[in-house]
Amino acid sequence: RPQKRTEKARKGAFMNEIYDRKLVEEIKKSTLLTKNQLFQKSEKFYYLSLTIDENGLTPVFSAWSWEALKQVSIETTSPIEWIKWSYSDSPYFNFNETNFSNVKIAFENRGNIYTFQPHQWPDELSVRINSMECALHELDLDGVFGTEKVRDSIVINAEIVPPDAANTSRARRLNPPAALKDWLIEAAE
């Protein structure tokens, strides 16, 4: 059942978006498990994203480390600036996707784009992306992405593709300003 989000976000913004508590809990469990598995690697991660498309399918976990970026830059002809913040170009795109099987079930239980009236779908999609943002926010409050300088070195976000300005708004709410310095210049919509 949708609930209002009342936690204070970074920069003192007050969030009143509608989200689904069950989705938040499932997304938190899956994200934490996947993040912990990935971050066992001896790499320095600077970006972590949960991404969905306009059809509201199961979120895709993606992350980048400086080491992975260096390796990919050697193997590609694409400019590094094009892939640095690209969830889909990361070697960790959809990392351990089976960890999100319960999230997939929870999303499917809510219906899909074809089970909603066209005027209802934008509200449902908002519930899904807001639930993703809420899950990341709560994990961040628990220190999952580090504290102080460590936290300032990673950007987390709940994103929709194709990208829109709301991705930037979510990034601003989810991250300390120091973490976003480069991202805002290089990737913000």
Side-chain angles (χ1 to χ4, degrees), residues 46-47 81-87 155 157 159 163-165 167-168 171 180-189:
Y46 66 86
Y47 174 69
E81 299 81 28
W82 292 4
I83 61 174
K84 181 179 179 184
W85 303 104
S86 171
Y87 76 96
V155 173
N157 206 4
E159 300 181 79
D164 63 18
N167 286 348
T168 300
L180 285 179
K181 188 175 72 170
D182 292 340
W183 187 89
L184 287 171
I185 294 167
E186 298 169 356
E189 290 9 288

Side-chain angles (χ1 to χ4, degrees), residues 41-145:
K41 295 180 177 285
S42 297
E43 297 179 35
K44 186 175 179 194
F45 289 87
Y46 66 86
Y47 174 69
L48 183 149
S49 175
L50 295 178
T51 306
I52 61 171
D53 65 9
E54 57 201 0
N55 293 319
L57 301 175
T58 309
V60 173
F61 179 100
S62 186
W64 271 106
S65 70
W66 294 110
E67 294 82 2
L69 182 63
K70 182 178 179 182
Q71 184 61 41
V72 169
S73 71
I74 293 168
E75 300 167 355
T76 186
T77 58
S78 297
I80 200 76
E81 299 81 28
W82 292 4
I83 61 174
K84 181 179 179 184
W85 303 104
S86 171
Y87 76 96
S88 61
D89 290 312
S90 170
Y92 302 121
F93 171 74
N94 216 8
F95 184 79
N96 285 359
E97 72 177 297
T98 56
N99 290 349
F100 282 80
S101 59
N102 286 340
V103 176
K104 181 179 182 182
I105 291 167
F107 271 49
E108 288 171 351
N109 286 342
R110 291 186 61 84
N112 62 51
I113 191 170
Y114 304 109
T115 60
F116 286 84
Q117 294 296 319
H119 67 279
Q120 295 172 321
W121 182 247
D123 290 338
E124 174 61 23
L125 186 58
S126 290
V127 167
R128 294 174 189 218
I129 192 86
N130 292 342
S131 297
M132 293 162 50
E133 180 183 3
C134 186
L136 289 174
H137 176 71
E138 290 179 10
L139 289 169
D140 191 30
L141 290 176
D142 291 340
V144 167
F145 307 110

Side-chain angles (χ1 to χ4, degrees), residues 143-160:
V144 167
F145 307 110
T147 58
E148 298 176 6
K149 289 188 187 261
V150 172
R151 179 60 185 90
D152 287 345
S153 67
I154 186 168
V155 173
I156 62 171
N157 206 4
E159 300 181 79
I160 191 163

